[in-house]
């Protein structure tokens, strides 16, 4: 038999119950595997838009430009206008000679006036393309609004400086626009736009100015075609409705 409990010692407390072990958390339910995409994601105008810039989808719709129509009007205006003006000036100079007559003077003036109007029409078509191109990249980050880009070219003397801001400046702004919106097109060559400006400036140099219009016409076709193609690329990107966003 065991010893009886000591009446002076407190009774031993019963043992505490052991808490149950926590149950493991439920396993997450994974979606069924889908097709695995290989390669880089498709280009998207909404991919990588910088803060403060408007997304391409939120911009006003950009209409396509008829490249051949705009360039055709520009070339027709420049070439026909310059030919008519040269013929008119030649007739006026002949009429000013001692053997000249009034009919030759009238014919010269009659050739200069329509030549000037046709030339202005070609310039208007060229400035229209610049305005449309500048309007297409207005996402809040472009440096020059389209009205300013065209309007300052119409101010004498100031347009000599603004020429380099309007055309090479547009090429720079477009390349920045392309980077912001990841446009699936090639960047513009800013050097070509500067060559166009140099050809225009050479028109004011004696002797060299006789052949500089040829360089102007060549560069007009090169950069004009590039500008129209980039406007159409923006219009096609908007119409495509890209919506890819990297995660």
């Amino acid at each position: 038999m065991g010893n009886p409990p000591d009446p002076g010692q407190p009774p031993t407390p019963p043992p505490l119950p052991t808490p149950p072990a926590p149950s493991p958390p439920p396993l997450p339910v994974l979606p069924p595997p889908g097709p695995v995409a290989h390669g880089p994601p498709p280009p998207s105008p909404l991919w990588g838009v910088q803060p403060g810039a408007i997304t391409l989808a939120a911009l006003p719709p950009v209409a396509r430009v008829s490249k051949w129509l705009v360039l055709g009007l520009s070339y027709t205006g420049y070439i026909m206008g310059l030919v008519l003006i040269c013929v008119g000036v030649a007739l006026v100079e002949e009429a000013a000679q001692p053997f000249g007559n009034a009919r030759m003077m009238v014919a010269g003036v009659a050739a200069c006036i329509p030549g000037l109007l046709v030339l202005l029409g070609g310039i208007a078509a060229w400035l229209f393309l610049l305005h449309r191109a500048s309007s297409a990249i207005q996402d809040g980050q472009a440096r020059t609004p389209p009205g300013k880009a065209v309007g300052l070219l119409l101010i004498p003397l100031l347009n000599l400086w603004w020429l380099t801001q309007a055309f090479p400046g547009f090429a720079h702004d477009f390349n920045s626009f392309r980077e912001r919106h990841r446009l699936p097109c090639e960047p513009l060559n800013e050097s070509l736009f500067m060559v166009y400006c140099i050809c225009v400036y050479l028109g004011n140099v004696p002797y060299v100015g006789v052949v500089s219009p040829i360089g102007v016409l060549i560069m007009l076709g090169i950069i004009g075609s590039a500008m129209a193609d980039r406007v159409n690329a923006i219009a096609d990107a908007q119409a495509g409705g890209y919506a890819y966003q990297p995660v």
Side-chain angles (χ1 to χ4, degrees):
M1 296 181 62
N3 297 327
D6 188 358
Q9 184 179 4
T12 303
L16 297 176
T18 303
S23 59
L27 296 177
V29 179
L30 300 178
V36 179
H38 299 281
S44 169
L46 300 181
W47 177 19
V49 177
Q50 295 181 356
I54 304 174
T55 61
L56 193 64
L59 292 176
V62 177
R64 290 178 59 87
V65 174
S66 179
K67 176 171 64 176
W68 302 116
L69 176 60
V70 175
L71 292 181
L73 291 175
S74 299
Y75 270 114
T76 301
Y78 276 111
I79 295 175
M80 290 188 61
L82 290 176
V83 169
L84 288 174
I85 291 174
C86 290
V87 171
V89 170
L91 291 175
V92 170
E93 289 181 351
E94 288 293 329
Q97 300 297 326
F99 55 84
N101 55 56
R103 290 183 180 180
M104 192 174 295
M105 178 68 71
V106 173
V109 174
C112 288
I113 293 176
L116 180 60
L117 296 177
V118 173
L119 179 62
L120 291 177
I123 295 174
W126 181 236
L127 295 180
F128 166 80
L129 177 59
L130 175 62
H131 188 278
R132 286 289 298 273
S134 298
S135 299
I137 61 173
Q138 298 299 314
D139 63 347
Q141 300 292 318
R143 299 176 301 171
T144 307
K148 182 179 179 181
V150 174
L152 294 183
L153 288 174
L154 304 177
I155 301 177
L157 298 181
L158 178 62
N159 55 10
L160 296 176
W161 167 75
W162 186 251
L163 187 68
T164 58
Q165 304 298 316
F167 287 97
F170 164 76
H172 177 80
D173 286 350
F174 173 83
N175 291 337
S176 300
F177 180 90
R178 171 184 172 273
E179 288 296 324
R180 287 193 297 272
H181 299 279
R182 300 299 192 269
L183 285 177
C185 64
E186 295 294 326
L188 288 174
N189 189 337
E190 299 180 30
S191 299
L192 293 178
F193 285 76
M194 183 58 69
V195 171
Y196 166 76
C197 296
I198 293 174
C199 292
V200 174
Y201 291 146
L202 290 178
N204 300 315
V205 178
Y207 303 107
V208 180
V210 178
V211 295
S212 66
I214 299 176
V216 171
L217 292 176
I218 293 174
M219 297 309 302
L220 185 147
I222 293 174
I223 68 173
S225 177
M227 291 167 64
D229 288 341
R230 299 318 187 272
V231 172
N232 293 337
I234 297 174
D236 293 341
Q238 281 188 328
Y242 296 111
Y244 176 79
Q245 289 279 4
V247 295

